[in-house]
Amino acid sequence: MREAITDVDTLFHTLALPVTYKPAARRAAQLFGLRVPAGYAARIRTGDIDDPLLRQVLPLGAETESKPGFGADAVGDLASDAGDGLLHKYHGRALLITTGACAVHCRYCFRRHFDYGAHHAGGSHLREALARIAADDTLAEIILSGGDPLSLTNERLTVIGKALDATPHVARIRMHTRTAIVLPERIDDGLIAWVAARRARVVVVIHVNHAQELAPGVVERLTALKAAGATLLNQAVLLAGVNDDRDSQVALSEALFAAGVMPYYLHLLDRVAGVHHFEVDETRAAALMRSVAAVLPGYLVPKLARELPGDSAKRVVGV
Ligand SMILES: *Cc1c(COP(=O)(O)O)cnc(C)c1O
Ligand code: SF4
């Protein structure tokens, strides 16, 4: 994580990007910091401002524009937070914000305005959150999220894993992580052992938006995770200029399956301020998914979904 690129000059120099984009990149990076792991930067084609991986991490001037309909908390997380980092919005499962840190800063992130420092289950908050989980036997699944739960040390994950294993009604521990993709070295022997040691079933939902992200080193670590007993699923975000065409979606599903991962969700963008340039409207998204479904087996077509405040589940959009 220390080797990540965090300043605009280094990013432009390393990837030989056109300097005309630099002043805007600097301004946008002041709103939400630049963070690109070195290994992820190595998967980006140098000199190509349209590279689909670069688009996800390059701060653009458009982020500084405000647009009606794009606010600070698009999914109502702030309203459902009881203060200890446990978000219980849906029946049977709750999401534990374990940390605010991510290995990468995705420009479209719906949590770019979320005050992680104040909301994650650090220190004494974790004890409160675990007590709430133990007291509610409707909670069959706990989702470790963030930020990214793989920003935590294996020791910290073990504290959480053991507590959940000791809670009989928790049948599944799910982890939502993009670190596994952008920094595959994080899937170390200790983490593999953590997965293998769990009483509860482990589900790892990775976050891959484009087939080019699945470099050989990533696939190798995913294979090790799966061998340890984890069920692997993928969630992606539909992003203009990154993966909003049929061939990109088909290639992504094929590459995921080849790596032992099932496509799960394709999320419509959460409408937070500074991300409007990534939006694909619902009509075009549905048409795109029809074209994908026309050429892939059904099990390789992710569910196109949108999260709206107040809903009892993610809303699957008609295709
Ligand atoms: C997305 C989400 C979940 C998980 O939803 P699934 O449909 O089970 O993947 C759970 N809790 C919160 C707060 C969420 O945002
Ligand atoms: S890894 Fe996930 S939470 Fe972190 S910046 Fe990217 S989209 Fe946001």
Side-chain angles (χ1 to χ4, degrees):
M1 281 185 75
R2 260 199 308 273
E3 288 165 15
I5 299 172
T6 54
D7 76 274
V8 168
D9 285 325
T10 308
L11 184 74
F12 273 68
H13 177 73
T14 307
L15 295 174
L17 301 176
V19 290
T20 45
Y21 287 84
K22 226 189 219 186
R26 279 214 189 85
R27 266 184 288 123
Q30 269 163 16
L31 298 176
F32 182 48
L34 171 78
R35 176 169 285 278
V36 187
Y40 191 77
R43 292 174 230 165
I44 295 172
R45 291 186 296 265
T46 49
D48 182 359
I49 199 77
D50 296 322
D51 181 276
L53 275 54
L54 179 66
R55 298 284 302 187
Q56 298 178 57
V57 294
L58 176 69
L60 291 178
E63 293 176 33
T64 62
E65 298 160 8
S66 68
K67 288 271 164 177
F70 289 79
D73 182 23
V75 297
D77 273 359
L78 299 177
S80 47
D81 180 14
D84 56 6
L86 187 70
L87 302 183
H88 187 186
K89 289 207 296 199
Y90 303 151
H91 180 81
R93 56 225 196 272
L95 193 146
L96 186 63
I97 299 195
T98 55
T99 167
C102 284
V104 63
H105 284 179
C106 312
R107 306 317 300 179
Y108 52 84
C109 183
F110 76 110
R111 290 192 165 138
R112 49 183 287 152
H113 309 288
F114 197 79
D115 181 4
Y116 292 111
H119 291 272
H120 71 77
S124 63
H125 283 335
L126 179 62
R127 232 171 305 128
E128 289 165 38
L130 290 171
R132 272 216 290 151
I133 292 166
D136 183 349
D137 66 8
T138 67
L139 288 175
E141 179 165 353
I142 299 302
I143 303 168
L144 308 183
S145 183
D148 197 303
L150 291 188
S151 301
L152 301 178
T153 61
N154 289 334
E155 289 70 26
R156 183 91 178 147
L157 285 173
T158 297
V159 170
I160 298 172
K162 282 188 173 162
L164 296 177
D165 274 348
T167 309
H169 55 262
V170 175
R172 299 178 299 277
I173 301 173
R174 194 199 308 186
M175 196 178 267
H176 282 177
T177 176
R178 185 146 163 78
T179 296
I181 300 310
V182 300
L183 196 68
E185 298 88 337
R186 177 62 188 87
I187 306 177
D188 59 6
D189 293 346
L191 185 69
I192 300 290
W194 183 92
V195 170
R198 300 280 64 83
R199 173 211 40 95
R201 298 289 303 196
V202 176
V203 181
V204 179
V205 181
I206 58 172
H207 175 178
V208 183
N209 296 315
H210 194 280
Q212 195 178 314
E213 290 173 39
L214 286 167
V218 178
V219 175
E220 188 251 328
R221 298 321 294 156
L222 293 176
T223 305
L225 260 188
K226 191 164 182 171
T231 296
L232 302 183
L233 305 173
N234 184 59
Q235 55 180 344
V237 183
L238 182 57
L239 299 166
V242 174
N243 59 10
D244 61 334
D245 62 283
R246 189 193 70 171
D247 291 353
S248 293
Q249 286 297 328
V250 170
L252 174 58
S253 279
E254 300 269 19
L256 286 167
F257 188 73
V261 184
M262 297 304 292
Y264 179 32
Y265 279 133
L266 179 64
H267 296 284
L268 287 160
L269 190 71
D270 291 317
R271 307 187 92 202
V272 297
V275 306
H276 62 91
H277 52 296
F278 283 115
E279 189 167 57
V280 178
D281 76 58
E282 209 165 297
T283 310
R284 194 163 80 76
L288 170 63
M289 292 320 286
R290 276 194 299 276
S291 76
V292 171
V295 295
L296 281 180
Y299 61 86
L300 289 187
V301 181
K303 288 195 251 193
L304 184 65
R306 160 155 351 256
E307 181 170 354
L308 292 170
D311 274 4
S312 60
K314 303 238 179 335
R315 185 174 300 190
V316 176
V317 174
V319 171

